[in-house]
Amino acid sequence: MALNNAQVGVVVKAEDGSYLYASGLPEYFPSIDLSEASDESLFADDWLKLMQEGQRQVLATGKRSVVELVRTTNSQYCACECTIERYEADGLAPAILITFVDLTPERKREDALKALLREVSHRSKNLLAIVQSIAAQTARTSEGLDFFLTKFRGRLAALSSAQDLVTESNWRGAQFKSLAQHQFMRYIEKGDRRVSITGEDVLLSPNGATHVGLALHELITNSVAFGALSNKAGTLALDCKRLEDGRYVISWEERTGLAKTPLAKEETDVASRKQFGSTVLERVVPSALEGDADYDIEPHFVSYQLEFRVADY
């Protein structure tokens, strides 16, 4: 009972090879009848050679031998540590004692941990590459250090917000609507009637969530500075739709609600909005998602279309 509770299997063999006792072997070993049991019936293929060689060494030297049995197939993985030693006691004929310790759960945990560490390393490198790209793109359109720091910190905060959602989902990704709401909440109050979020609540991959979050950040900050979110009369519609070919399109339509302004002022506002984030919206994000984007700015209307295929990028 103690051995079974400790999940240790035991086999005792006479020196002539006959089986005297067997109990508690891991489930991937076949059930055996002691009267007919043999190494051939218990160990198959390459395991048989390893165990017979281990027993020969013990009988020849009297020293303990440890054999590790591992099997990997498409449907099964198992690992077992077998300790073989000579067993002698007063009044009993010499025998061979083999103890079996199932290493399968431990090895699976180790493999899962290694896979997790590789995944963390991979995603960390991806994030560093994204941060490097953000820094470079921000620097290209910055007129000075203060402006760079303001824009760069905002983009990093948007990246962090998207990563929080991805982490909460155990790295499955982020739902589109939750991602959008998190980005808007950094600039407007929840339930702001100027903003509507409709359509498919698609699950974005971790990479998709990161870059869509970045695109939304650029659109929102531009809107706060120049567009619908800069006044009480503006309206903003964000929608996600699945196309017939399986791709998705995220649509941003924004109406400033402002009265007509002088032509020179309109041209200045359009130029300013184009400068801030246009590279991210038109090149960086669609490239990362292997999609297409269309960004159109008029004095009182802004449209952004991002088409992409949902995948584990």
Side-chain angles (χ1 to χ4, degrees), residues 106-137:
E106 179 183 342
R107 291 294 170 80
K108 286 184 176 180
R109 286 192 296 269
E110 290 176 355
D111 289 344
L113 179 59
K114 289 177 182 177
L116 178 61
L117 291 174
R118 286 194 297 269
E119 182 70 9
V120 169
S121 175
H122 172 70
R123 296 195 182 279
S124 297
K125 290 177 181 177
N126 283 347
L127 281 176
L128 290 174
I130 292 171
V131 171
Q132 185 178 28
S133 175
I134 290 174
Q137 296 296 339

Side-chain angles (χ1 to χ4, degrees), residues 183-254:
Q183 296 297 336
F184 275 112
M185 284 170 56
R186 299 179 57 241
Y187 297 94
I188 62 174
E189 294 183 0
K190 185 177 181 180
D192 192 314
R193 294 187 176 182
R194 293 174 296 177
V195 177
S196 68
I197 303 173
T198 59
E200 299 276 349
D201 193 17
V202 60
L203 176 65
L204 301 166
S205 69
N207 182 65
T210 298
H211 285 90
V212 170
L214 192 58
L216 291 175
H217 167 76
E218 297 302 324
L219 292 166
I220 292 168
T221 53
N222 280 352
S223 182
V224 169
F226 304 103
L229 299 182
S230 67
N231 65 87
K232 299 293 186 181
T235 59
L236 196 160
L238 179 62
D239 182 69
C240 180
K241 187 179 299 181
R242 190 177 190 275
L243 303 177
E244 291 183 359
D245 63 1
R247 293 191 302 167
Y248 285 82
V249 56
I250 293 175
S251 302
W252 171 287
E253 293 189 356
E254 176 185 354

Side-chain angles (χ1 to χ4, degrees), residues 57-132:
Q57 290 180 12
V58 169
L59 291 174
T61 65
K63 295 180 180 180
R64 174 187 299 183
S65 176
V66 178
V67 177
E68 187 171 298
L69 306 178
V70 179
R71 177 169 294 138
T72 303
T73 66
N74 291 334
S75 60
Q76 182 190 49
Y77 170 82
C78 56
C80 184
E81 182 182 83
C82 302
T83 302
I84 309 168
E85 52 193 320
R86 192 177 180 87
Y87 177 71
E88 297 182 2
D90 293 341
L92 297 176
I96 295 176
L97 173 67
I98 307 175
T99 55
F100 298 76
V101 178
D102 187 10
L103 302 178
T104 305
E106 179 183 342
R107 291 294 170 80
K108 286 184 176 180
R109 286 192 296 269
E110 290 176 355
D111 289 344
L113 179 59
K114 289 177 182 177
L116 178 61
L117 291 174
R118 286 194 297 269
E119 182 70 9
V120 169
S121 175
H122 172 70
R123 296 195 182 279
S124 297
K125 290 177 181 177
N126 283 347
L127 281 176
L128 290 174
I130 292 171
V131 171
Q132 185 178 28

Side-chain angles (χ1 to χ4, degrees), residues 11-88:
V11 163
V12 181
K13 293 179 58 181
E15 285 191 313
D16 62 6
S18 59
Y19 277 63
L20 305 176
Y21 178 81
S23 176
L25 274 67
E27 61 182 9
Y28 41 84
F29 285 95
S31 300
I32 55 174
D33 182 343
L34 284 179
S35 62
E36 301 177 353
S38 65
D39 287 349
E40 288 77 4
S41 63
L42 186 59
F43 307 105
D45 304 328
D46 53 332
W47 286 9
L48 177 62
K49 296 179 181 178
L50 289 172
M51 291 302 296
Q52 288 182 336
E53 178 59 30
Q55 293 174 67
R56 279 194 293 268
Q57 290 180 12
V58 169
L59 291 174
T61 65
K63 295 180 180 180
R64 174 187 299 183
S65 176
V66 178
V67 177
E68 187 171 298
L69 306 178
V70 179
R71 177 169 294 138
T72 303
T73 66
N74 291 334
S75 60
Q76 182 190 49
Y77 170 82
C78 56
C80 184
E81 182 182 83
C82 302
T83 302
I84 309 168
E85 52 193 320
R86 192 177 180 87
Y87 177 71
E88 297 182 2

